[in-house]
Amino acid sequence: MRTRVRTGAPARVTGALVAVAALLVSACSAANPRTSAGAVEAALAALPRSTPSALSPYYTQTLRWRSCGVPGFQCATMKAPLDYAKPASGDVRLAVARKKATGKGARLGSLLVNPGGPGGSAVDYLQSYAGVGYPAEVRARYDMVAMDPRGVARSEPVECLDGRRMDAYAATDITPDDRKETSRLVGEYRTFAEGCGAHSARLLRHVSTVEAARDMDILRAVLGDRKLNYVGASYGTFLGATYAGLFPERVGRLVLDGAMDPSLDARTLNLDQTKGFETAFRAFAKDCVRRSDCPLGGRGTTPAQVGDRLAAFFRKLDAQPIPAGDAGGRRLGESLATTGVIAAMYDQGSWEQLREALTSAMRKQDGAGLLALSDSYYERDQSGRYSNLMMANSAVNCLDLPPAFSSPEQVEKALPAFQKASPVFGRALAWASLNCAYWPVRATGEPHRIKAEGAAPMVVVGTTRDPATPYPWAQSLARQLSSARLLTYVGDGHTAYGRGSACIDSAIDAYLLHGTPPAPGKRCS
């Protein structure tokens, strides 16, 4: 499950983008004929309506708001039980931020936002984008609120490797050609997993999506809201849908944008996302060859030929990495270049930057542009420090679902299917799907459907050429949820709200402000 959503206006990929990956990307969810037999029968059960007495102290706590150091925002720390099955065993402290409603009209309550990941900082998203960039009418009527999920950013972050070791991890050859390279890749996965187990042993068993959703209900209560209003993007849709499944009677106005679907096993999810990135790449290729600065071919070059040229360039980098102008001496190899290209697939506003980066790398042997794209995806700053995004990402994903593959041999057998799904990215994404095989904690989740029977109307948003959360996932989630309405954006990029479509934005704003869901079958472009 590796998804991400931008936290600002589309243009160039920056550190404000929320990513997710092991050594690269991977995937999460969709109900269709390939759904595993177990998932067909398994459904997330709602929790009892009454709050257990052991949880009462959490639900009745008072948040102490203070200045965040960011004008207009307040911050607080909320406590939740580390283990919901054993509330007396200790707490986890969760970072919360808010911006009070700015308008004079009737306040509609709190609007909780989450940018996805898993591993993306909701507090950063609120302060850098949602709290200042959401429509003024929405910000006028709602207190804009965010909480970093357990294990993420300011909420007792999962820690695994230092910056130097993360550099080595990110640069590891993700398309091994022989046993020696395969062993090196497996060794990096083991080192990463062992680092997480050594540095975050207390928390590692308790960062599941179900637990994070239960934390959201405590936050709803302490904010004084009878129901939860929520906008979740990317993985945030899985988190929001999980909340709806656990607490259907407490669902207010929920927007699930760039939807994921919890009913697929990890292998299918990764394969679906591989197809999604191929779809996005072909859209980029068609656009690229129409432009004079495309380094992958001119007019008349087919997307398949563009893909062949990019794949050939990746092979050259695999054999001989090129300089990247990095102060620490890092060079651009195949893995970092692949990550850089994938980073630009999330937003067509980044395609110009990708063309420039590819031109420099392919024609001038200068890998700085692609390295910058890769660093933005990993949230690595110029001093070599990484956010905990990738660490939290693996921690949540490996706990939510059993691993896609348990051995290199299984990956090798699956390579033809992944390469068919994407001749450009297939091999890399297949091997990236091995990361949870060596995780120190067994998965507690499984594929399941979410019905949320009795919930108020919800809005599921899907983009037809979304690379990270393919459109069929949105269709599937909308079918599963008992009260969902599907809103479709016909276009490119990951997620749809706030990306320039007046049709999408007006439909979501009407729902958030007036509770009116879009008309059945509504499509925008």
Side-chain angles (χ1 to χ4, degrees), residues 30-31 261-263 448-451 476-482:
D261 169 356
S263 71
H448 58 270
R449 293 171 294 110
I450 300 178
K451 296 181 179 179
S476 175
L477 183 60
R479 287 194 300 266
Q480 288 178 55
L481 293 169
S482 63

Side-chain angles (χ1 to χ4, degrees), residues 230-316:
Y230 175 81
V231 177
S234 197
Y235 163 80
T237 67
F238 182 36
L239 185 57
T242 300
Y243 179 90
L246 294 173
F247 306 102
E249 76 285 353
R250 298 174 191 170
V251 168
R253 298 171 187 176
L254 260 66
V255 177
L256 309 177
D257 182 15
M260 299 177 69
D261 169 356
S263 71
L264 291 186
D265 61 70
R267 188 179 305 190
T268 305
L269 301 176
N270 283 283
L271 185 60
D272 276 0
Q273 199 178 54
T274 300
K275 295 175 184 176
F277 277 102
E278 181 67 19
T279 298
F281 176 75
R282 286 179 174 265
F284 163 76
K286 289 179 181 178
D287 179 80
C288 186
V289 298
R290 298 190 187 108
R291 302 179 184 274
S292 59
D293 62 344
C294 181
L296 296 168
R299 290 184 179 274
T301 308
T302 67
Q305 290 172 325
V306 171
D308 289 343
R309 292 175 183 181
L310 183 60
F313 174 61
F314 285 161
R315 288 193 293 272
K316 289 182 179 179

Side-chain angles (χ1 to χ4, degrees), residues 1-333:
M1 248 184 288
R2 309 184 216 298
T3 57
R4 87 186 192 182
V5 64
R6 62 178 178 77
T7 58
R12 290 181 173 257
V13 176
T14 69
L17 286 169
V18 175
V20 201
L23 280 168
L24 255 186
V25 232
S26 180
C28 220
S29 316
N32 56 35
R34 295 166 295 126
T35 301
S36 66
V40 171
E41 298 179 3
L44 186 65
L47 292 171
R49 294 193 179 195
S50 59
T51 301
S53 59
L55 296 180
S56 180
Y58 297 103
Y59 273 82
T60 57
Q61 66 186 292
T62 299
L63 296 183
R64 298 181 179 179
W65 295 101
R66 61 188 184 278
S67 172
C68 291
V70 180
F73 292 88
Q74 297 174 306
C75 290
T77 300
M78 189 189 87
K79 291 182 180 180
L82 175 67
D83 184 347
Y84 277 91
K86 301 175 182 178
S89 64
D91 300 334
V92 59
R93 299 171 65 85
L94 307 175
V96 182
R98 75 176 178 186
K99 186 177 185 183
K100 300 275 284 186
T102 57
K104 297 180 180 179
R107 179 178 168 277
L108 294 173
S110 305
L111 181 62
L112 186 65
V113 296
N114 183 283
S121 171
V123 171
D124 285 351
Y125 176 71
L126 176 73
Q127 294 177 345
S128 66
Y129 176 60
V132 294
Y134 268 34
E137 297 87 347
V138 174
R139 292 183 283 115
R141 303 289 300 281
Y142 286 100
D143 289 346
M144 302 294 294
V145 180
M147 178 172 65
D148 282 347
R150 51 176 63 206
V152 174
R154 300 165 180 82
S155 294
E156 300 195 18
V158 169
E159 300 291 348
C160 303
L161 302 178
D162 62 20
R164 182 183 61 82
R165 288 298 301 127
M166 279 296 295
D167 279 346
Y169 179 72
T172 301
D173 187 354
I174 197 69
T175 56
D177 300 312
D178 53 38
R179 289 186 177 182
K180 183 178 180 180
E181 290 185 352
T182 299
S183 295
R184 187 178 301 124
L185 176 60
V186 168
E188 286 295 325
Y189 282 140
R190 289 188 185 277
T191 297
F192 184 89
E194 289 167 0
C196 297
H199 296 296
S200 301
R202 173 180 177 268
L203 192 61
L204 217 55
R205 290 178 173 82
H206 298 291
V207 291
S208 70
T209 296
V210 166
E211 289 164 311
R214 297 190 69 172
D215 296 340
M216 287 165 53
D217 196 54
I218 294 177
L219 178 60
R220 172 203 59 78
V222 300
L223 290 173
D225 293 320
R226 189 172 62 87
K227 295 193 174 185
L228 180 78
N229 303 307
Y230 175 81
V231 177
S234 197
Y235 163 80
T237 67
F238 182 36
L239 185 57
T242 300
Y243 179 90
L246 294 173
F247 306 102
E249 76 285 353
R250 298 174 191 170
V251 168
R253 298 171 187 176
L254 260 66
V255 177
L256 309 177
D257 182 15
M260 299 177 69
D261 169 356
S263 71
L264 291 186
D265 61 70
R267 188 179 305 190
T268 305
L269 301 176
N270 283 283
L271 185 60
D272 276 0
Q273 199 178 54
T274 300
K275 295 175 184 176
F277 277 102
E278 181 67 19
T279 298
F281 176 75
R282 286 179 174 265
F284 163 76
K286 289 179 181 178
D287 179 80
C288 186
V289 298
R290 298 190 187 108
R291 302 179 184 274
S292 59
D293 62 344
C294 181
L296 296 168
R299 290 184 179 274
T301 308
T302 67
Q305 290 172 325
V306 171
D308 289 343
R309 292 175 183 181
L310 183 60
F313 174 61
F314 285 161
R315 288 193 293 272
K316 289 182 179 179
L317 293 177
D318 188 27
Q320 185 61 54
I322 62 176
D326 181 66
R330 290 182 302 156
R331 297 171 70 86
L332 183 77

Side-chain angles (χ1 to χ4, degrees), residues 23 157 239 381 399 435 463:
L23 280 168
L239 185 57
D381 67 22
L399 198 60
N435 68 307
T463 298

